[in-house]
Amino acid sequence: MDSGSVSNLLIEAGSLMLIGMLFVFAFLGLLIVGVHLIAKFCEAFPGESVQELKPQPRRAVQPGVDGNVIAAITAAVHTHRRANKK
């Protein structure tokens, strides 16, 4: 390799590095601008606040199913698994 080809390779590597860094800088700049625009949009059009939302009470049992029946089925499955354990 002669010195001319090494210097050309170094110049090409430096230019590729510079182009890559510029693209990353531009992308991150656009990302920051986008986040600020979304924040301003959310301030202008607020949705429901967390305090306004009321959680609906959850039922442990479906309507129409007796709790005693569920307890009996659970006990039977537990007994079956314990009896058939290897």
Side-chain angles (χ1 to χ4, degrees):
M1 284 183 154
D2 59 2
S3 64
S5 65
V6 173
S7 63
N8 286 338
L9 289 174
L10 286 175
I11 291 172
E12 186 178 350
S15 64
L16 285 174
M17 181 184 68
L18 185 63
I19 290 170
M21 291 175 71
L22 287 174
F23 273 117
V24 169
F25 182 77
F27 174 76
L28 292 176
L30 288 173
L31 187 66
I32 290 171
V33 169
V35 168
H36 284 291
L37 288 175
I38 290 173
K40 289 187 185 228
F41 177 79
C42 290
E43 288 175 358
F45 302 104
E48 295 181 13
S49 67
V50 177
Q51 295 150 351
E52 294 175 4
L53 299 176
K54 295 180 182 178
Q56 297 177 353
R58 292 187 174 185
R59 295 184 180 185
V61 180
Q62 294 178 354
V65 178
D66 188 19
N68 293 329
V69 173
I70 292 176
I73 292 171
T74 304
V77 168
H78 179 67
T79 304
H80 175 72
R81 286 182 179 168
R82 190 176 47 187
N84 293 331
K85 194 175 192 180
K86 293 182 181 181

